[in-house]
């Protein structure tokens, strides 16, 4: 069975370091600690005294003064790795952690996970070909020497870079080296660690090169592992769950994220807030438990992007406005029925078909609904959206009618704007429905925001945001001031709904009443 040597890089909170080391070693694993030399000597002494009697804990022989983005972080990691490799000959895996990381699975689960495949886990993407770097300098990280810290010596950092560029002092990557990049939170097998250390000894030119690169903790191990381990034995992923904001800052997790973290397909998570004391206690206790089952739904990143992407009235990255094709026809009438609850709209369409001669097609731009053969343009949803106006013109011709009714989800606002801008007469009718918690949870699963096995406790805190999102979709239709817009409501009286429907369909009120005679129209 696997035994893990945790490489713990930390610089604060000695009590938390002691607790984490005691917890991780309580199940037969090991811990090698590098405590930043910039930290208080008294704090390090406190850690040494508390863990002196624990044979499963060792310390880096030399402590480094670490700075973000500097070689010192890699140097500190190598010191802790060397100490672990020498002190723990039974360790089969070496797992990189920081003081902000915490376990989100049991030791039993972690060992079983590592035993399942004889591979290394490390993000390693091609430095020059991938888009892993989102902001800041790119090639300059490697091709120029960095002697100053961009965070603490910004002026000198960029002045040095500018001078080197002016003087043409760029340097090549060492021969035979393909530079890779990825997260610094890895888990490597013992044989890989031994090959990495041997590589470091045999290639002093590579060591010199990385010592003056910028943010080498994202490139050093990621590069060398690819050179000493076959690609088939590498899983290009981290086992530590982490996310970043739009500004490149790590997302911090708090007490109410406990269930969310446990449902992710990872062994550890960072970064855990120091104030999340309740969750930290629960996670400490979790590690030694046995027989715990985990429902892995892995929706964490989707939830985060959903939450941070909502609430912005001028939403960024809106869908492209579709190219303007030929008009649907000045003498034609397009009726767009908009409803979030598709089953409600489909019931109403069935009634419309039975009481009128208006041809109708349900949600043709959202699902593979049955459609007549139109020469192939109708075969996929993507193709329908790409040629939307051409598709509707063909449907008008197919039904030999100057009227056509279609159903659209309110999320497809660009469709509405496109059609209401056409020379044809376009009428829009929104069906306003109630959304209880059960429906919203189901909606989150249908759109991929949560998996089928995501616990309700994970999804439930999002319901307010989802409910607001649906209201936003409804409100922007009103704000768009479409030429002909009407609304039916689940709570409106029959007379008002009949009047709105009659106006939308262009029929008399009696016909509209017969259409609405279905007593279970709004039932879920």
């Amino acid at each position: 069975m696997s035994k893990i040597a945790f490489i713990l890089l930390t610089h604060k909170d000695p009590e938390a370091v002691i607790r984490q080391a005691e917890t991780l070693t309580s199940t037969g694993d090991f811990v090698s600690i590098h405590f930043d030399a910039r930290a208080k000597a008294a704090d390090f002494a406190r850690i040494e005294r508390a863990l002196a009697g624990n044979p499963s804990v060792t310390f880096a022989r030399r402590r480094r003064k670490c700075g973000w983005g500097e070689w010192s972080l890699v140097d500190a990691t190598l010191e802790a790795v060397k100490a672990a490799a020498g002190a723990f000959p039974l360790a089969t895996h070496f797992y990189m952690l920081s003081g902000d990381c915490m376990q989100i699975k049991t030791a039993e689960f972690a060992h079983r996970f590592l035993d399942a495949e004889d591979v290394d886990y490390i993000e390693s993407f091609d430095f020059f070909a991938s888009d892993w770097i989102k902001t800041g300098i790119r090639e300059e990280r490697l091709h120029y020497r960095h002697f100053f810290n961009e965070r603490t010596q910004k002026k000198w950092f960029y002045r040095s870079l500018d001078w080197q560029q002016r003087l043409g002092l760029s340097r090549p990557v060492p021969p035979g080296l393909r530079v890779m990049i990825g997260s610094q939170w890895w888990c490597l097998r013992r044989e890989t660690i031994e090959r990495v250390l041997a590589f470091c000894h045999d290639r002093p030119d590579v060591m010199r090169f990385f010592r003056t690169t910028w943010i080498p903790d994202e490139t050093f191990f990621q590069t060398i592992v690819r050179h000493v381990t076959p690609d088939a034995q590498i899983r290009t992923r981290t086992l530590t769950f982490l996310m970043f904001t739009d500004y490149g800052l790590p997302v911090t997790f708090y007490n109410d994220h406990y269930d969310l973290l446990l449902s992710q397909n990872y062994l550890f998570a960072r970064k855990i807030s120091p104030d999340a004391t309740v969750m930290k206690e629960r996670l400490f206790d979790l590690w030694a438990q046995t027989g715990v089952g985990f429902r892995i739904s892995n929706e964490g990143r989707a939830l985060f992007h959903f939450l941070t992407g909502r609430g912005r009235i001028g939403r960024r990255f809106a869908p492209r406005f579709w190219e303007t094709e030929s008009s649907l026809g000045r003498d034609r009438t397009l009726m767009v029925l908009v409803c979030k609850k598709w089953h409600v709209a489909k019931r109403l369409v069935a009634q419309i078909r039975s009481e009128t001669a208006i041809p109708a097609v349900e949600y043709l731009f959202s699902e593979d609904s049955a459609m007549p053969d139109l020469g192939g343009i109708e075969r996929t949803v993507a193709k329908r959206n790409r040629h939307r106006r051409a598709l509707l013109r063909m449907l008008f011709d197919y039904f030999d009618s100057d009227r056509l009714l279609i159903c659209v989800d309110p999320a497809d606002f660009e469709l509405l704007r496109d059609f209401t801008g056409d020379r044809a007469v376009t009428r829009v009718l929104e069906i306003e429905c109630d959304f209880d918690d059960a429906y919203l949870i189901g909606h989150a699963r249908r759109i991929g925001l949560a998996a089928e096995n995501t616990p309700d406790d994970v999804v439930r805190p999002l319901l307010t945001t989802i409910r607001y999102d649906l209201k936003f979709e409804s409100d922007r239709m009103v704000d768009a001031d479409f030429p002909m817009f009407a609304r039916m409501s689940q709570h409106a009286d029959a007379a008002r709904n009949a009047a709105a429907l009659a106006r939308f369909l262009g029929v008399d009120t009696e016909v509209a009443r017969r259409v609405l005679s279905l007593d279970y129209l709004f039932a879920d």
Side-chain angles (χ1 to χ4, degrees):
M1 188 177 87
S2 60
K3 282 186 173 291
I4 309 169
F6 292 101
I7 309 302
L8 181 58
L9 264 60
T10 185
H11 64 280
K12 61 183 179 181
D13 200 351
E15 295 301 327
V17 175
I18 295 167
R19 180 72 184 280
Q20 181 72 308
E22 291 175 339
T23 300
L24 295 177
T25 57
S26 67
T27 53
D29 294 307
F30 312 102
V31 174
S32 178
I33 300 173
H34 180 278
F35 196 71
D36 198 326
R38 296 183 190 274
K40 295 178 181 178
D43 287 346
F44 181 60
R46 167 79 183 94
I47 296 171
E48 278 193 308
R49 285 196 306 271
L51 299 174
N54 190 332
S56 296
V57 175
T58 192
F59 294 88
R61 187 168 63 88
R62 291 180 293 181
R63 293 168 59 208
R64 304 301 190 191
K65 292 182 178 180
C66 297
W68 187 91
E70 297 177 6
W71 168 255
S72 54
L73 284 173
V74 176
D75 205 11
T77 304
L78 286 171
E79 288 295 329
V81 166
K82 291 174 185 175
F88 309 127
L90 297 180
T92 60
H93 293 76
F94 292 69
Y95 196 121
M96 177 77 173
L97 291 175
S98 77
D100 293 324
C101 297
M102 286 205 70
Q103 55 277 12
I104 56 174
K105 297 292 185 294
T106 61
E108 179 183 62
F109 183 99
H111 293 146
R112 190 165 58 243
F113 184 96
L114 295 177
D115 288 338
E117 275 195 292
D118 186 23
V119 295
D120 298 312
Y121 295 91
I122 182 169
E123 280 191 355
S124 56
F125 303 96
D126 188 281
F127 184 94
F128 298 100
S130 72
D131 62 348
W132 198 87
I133 299 174
K134 302 301 182 184
T135 60
I137 60 176
R138 294 175 60 89
E139 289 81 1
E140 295 88 347
R141 289 191 186 189
L142 306 178
H143 291 319
Y144 298 96
R145 297 164 179 83
H146 300 278
F147 305 103
F148 304 97
N149 191 297
E150 194 266 349
R151 289 193 169 183
T152 59
Q153 302 164 295
K154 189 179 292 287
K155 181 175 73 172
W156 284 106
F157 179 91
Y158 287 105
R159 183 175 291 178
S160 170
L161 178 59
D162 180 58
W163 286 345
Q164 292 181 69
Q165 290 173 328
R166 289 173 182 268
L167 294 172
L169 298 179
S170 65
R171 59 177 176 176
V173 172
L177 198 70
R178 180 190 178 195
V179 180
M180 310 296 285
I181 191 168
S183 167
Q184 62 268 53
W185 313 110
W186 40 255
C187 178
L188 304 175
R189 297 166 298 169
R190 184 179 196 90
E191 55 268 33
T192 300
I193 286 292
E194 291 172 348
R195 288 195 292 263
V196 166
L197 294 177
F199 184 97
C200 293
H201 178 270
D202 297 339
R203 292 292 302 268
D205 59 323
V206 173
M207 302 297 284
R208 286 194 301 271
F209 173 77
F210 276 110
R211 280 192 181 98
T212 52
T213 59
W214 181 236
I215 321 182
D217 53 319
E218 294 179 349
T219 53
F220 180 78
F221 286 96
Q222 296 77 0
T223 298
I224 295 179
V225 168
R226 282 288 179 185
H227 285 75
V228 301
T229 303
D231 287 352
Q233 297 178 25
I234 297 174
R235 297 294 175 264
T236 308
R237 58 159 296 188
T238 174
L239 297 182
T240 299
F241 180 63
L242 68 160
M243 297 187 294
F244 291 90
T245 68
D246 292 346
Y247 305 101
L249 300 174
V251 173
T252 302
F253 299 108
Y254 297 92
N255 289 330
D256 56 350
H257 289 123
Y258 179 81
D259 292 319
L260 170 68
L261 292 179
L262 263 59
S263 66
Q264 305 312 303
N265 189 25
Y266 296 84
L267 305 183
F268 284 74
R270 79 178 304 266
K271 93 192 239 187
I272 308 298
S273 170
D275 298 324
T277 54
V278 174
M279 179 167 71
K280 291 174 77 171
E281 283 300 317
R282 297 177 73 183
L283 294 177
F284 278 132
D285 293 340
L286 175 69
W287 180 250
Q289 294 179 26
T290 58
V292 179
F294 295 93
R295 298 174 62 186
I296 307 298
S297 49
N298 220 33
E299 76 295 326
R301 287 188 173 85
L303 293 180
F304 174 75
H305 291 305
F306 170 79
L307 290 172
T308 56
R310 263 51 182 179
R312 301 169 178 166
I313 299 303
R315 295 183 175 193
R316 302 180 302 164
F317 310 122
R320 286 179 54 191
F321 192 87
W322 290 96
E323 69 276 10
T324 302
E325 300 184 43
S326 302
S327 171
L328 300 179
R330 188 180 299 276
D331 298 326
R332 287 170 166 170
T333 299
L334 177 66
M335 290 164 270
V336 186
L337 187 62
V338 184
C339 186
K340 198 67 183 181
K341 290 187 175 180
W342 292 9
H343 62 279
V344 173
K346 291 178 179 182
R347 287 172 188 161
L348 187 63
V349 167
Q351 287 289 98
I352 291 172
R353 287 195 185 106
S354 67
E355 297 293 339
T356 74
I358 300 172
V361 183
E362 304 161 354
Y363 292 101
L364 69 167
F365 296 110
S366 299
E367 63 178 353
D368 290 319
S369 54
M371 288 187 60
D373 184 356
L374 300 175
I377 194 174
E378 80 291 343
R379 287 179 187 166
T380 66
V381 170
K383 186 175 287 189
R384 296 176 191 180
N385 276 275
R386 201 158 51 241
H387 307 290
R388 59 181 64 166
R389 291 196 183 189
L391 175 67
L392 292 184
R393 288 199 308 273
M394 295 173 76
L395 284 172
F396 275 111
D397 293 339
Y398 176 85
F399 289 116
D400 192 21
S401 172
D402 58 3
R403 295 186 300 170
L404 177 66
L405 187 149
I406 64 173
C407 296
V408 169
D409 190 284
D412 294 327
F413 185 66
E414 293 302 323
L415 280 173
L416 298 174
R417 290 210 304 184
D418 190 8
F419 294 146
T420 54
D422 191 82
R423 289 197 297 270
V425 176
T426 303
R427 302 172 186 160
V428 179
L429 174 69
E430 180 193 9
I431 306 179
E432 193 176 44
C433 302
D434 288 343
F435 304 107
D436 58 19
D437 288 356
Y439 175 84
L440 294 179
I441 290 173
H443 174 67
R445 291 184 171 128
R446 283 190 294 274
I447 65 175
L449 193 58
E452 285 301 321
N453 60 346
T454 301
D456 287 355
D457 290 343
V458 174
V459 184
R460 202 168 295 281
L462 303 173
L463 297 188
T464 300
T465 304
I466 297 173
R467 198 181 301 278
Y468 173 82
D469 203 50
L470 300 186
K471 185 177 185 304
F472 173 85
E473 292 177 353
S474 178
D475 288 346
R476 68 179 171 181
M477 283 189 285
V478 178
D479 296 338
D481 197 24
F482 294 141
M484 297 185 68
F485 177 80
R487 175 180 281 168
M488 286 173 47
S489 173
Q490 186 169 347
H491 293 293
D493 58 44
R496 180 175 298 179
N497 281 342
L501 183 62
R503 178 175 172 233
F504 172 69
L505 296 177
V507 298
D508 60 45
T509 306
E510 182 55 36
V511 174
R513 285 200 189 97
R514 291 201 301 270
V515 171
L516 294 175
S517 62
L518 202 64
D519 57 4
Y520 57 90
L521 176 62
F522 292 100
D524 289 331

